[in-house]
Amino acid sequence: MSATADHAEERANPAARLGFQPGQVVQEIGYGDDADQALREGIEAITGEELVDENYDDVADAVVLWFREEDGDLTDALVDATTMIDPGAPVWLLTPKTGRDGYVEPSDIGEAAKTAGLAQTKSVSAGKDWSGSRLVTPKTAGKK
């Protein structure tokens, strides 16, 4: 696919820049009425799978965590988000953009990610009202 086609896909499907692949199981945590429906539908279109919720009891390939300032402790939410994914799998932390209700300071995201044992590898605009931070667990931190 050409670079031009890649950019056209990203404009048509906001989930394209998040790196999901066909067949992946994506667990969604923190869904609310304010969640970006186009992004959710875009993830499902790329993976060919419906998003699974917090009650999914198998290993997921990635997590999408919708989080707003009033949702509680971000570190706890991130630790919970990593319980059903393999080391190296991404957690996409989606937070409201600057000036939106529920905005989370980038320094708070960085601190919570570090405390939860995650590394931030990428930040993107994930929709009109949402920013995305790609967080991963170190691949060398094997589960015991």
Side-chain angles (χ1 to χ4, degrees):
M1 190 182 307
S2 71
T4 306
D6 286 342
H7 291 300
E9 182 182 353
E10 284 185 15
R11 281 193 298 276
N13 181 349
R17 67 178 64 105
L18 303 184
F20 293 110
Q21 302 296 318
Q24 284 186 316
V25 175
V26 180
Q27 184 176 35
E28 180 181 45
I29 301 171
Y31 172 80
D33 291 341
D34 59 345
D36 188 304
Q37 294 303 317
L39 182 63
R40 296 177 77 245
E41 291 167 7
I43 293 168
E44 290 178 343
I46 290 169
T47 63
E49 305 285 336
E50 288 188 19
L51 295 171
V52 297
D53 66 15
E54 291 99 338
N55 299 319
Y56 184 69
D57 62 359
D58 202 352
V59 177
D61 297 304
V63 171
V64 170
L65 172 61
W66 302 94
F67 191 87
R68 304 133 197 100
E69 182 186 35
E70 63 274 5
D71 286 348
D73 186 279
L74 179 54
T75 301
D76 288 346
L78 291 172
V79 168
D80 290 347
T82 63
T83 59
M84 295 303 282
I85 57 173
D86 287 327
V91 173
W92 275 100
L93 173 63
L94 301 173
T95 57
K97 288 184 176 178
T98 305
R100 309 298 199 286
D101 286 343
Y103 171 71
V104 179
E105 291 286 343
S107 59
D108 293 341
I109 294 170
E111 185 178 316
K114 183 176 178 183
T115 302
L118 298 167
Q120 185 169 349
T121 62
K122 183 177 183 179
S123 295
V124 299
S125 173
K128 183 171 71 84
D129 295 319
W130 294 88
S131 293
S133 299
R134 184 178 188 271
L135 309 172
V136 294
T137 56
K139 288 183 182 176
T140 56
K143 292 188 176 185
K144 295 180 181 173

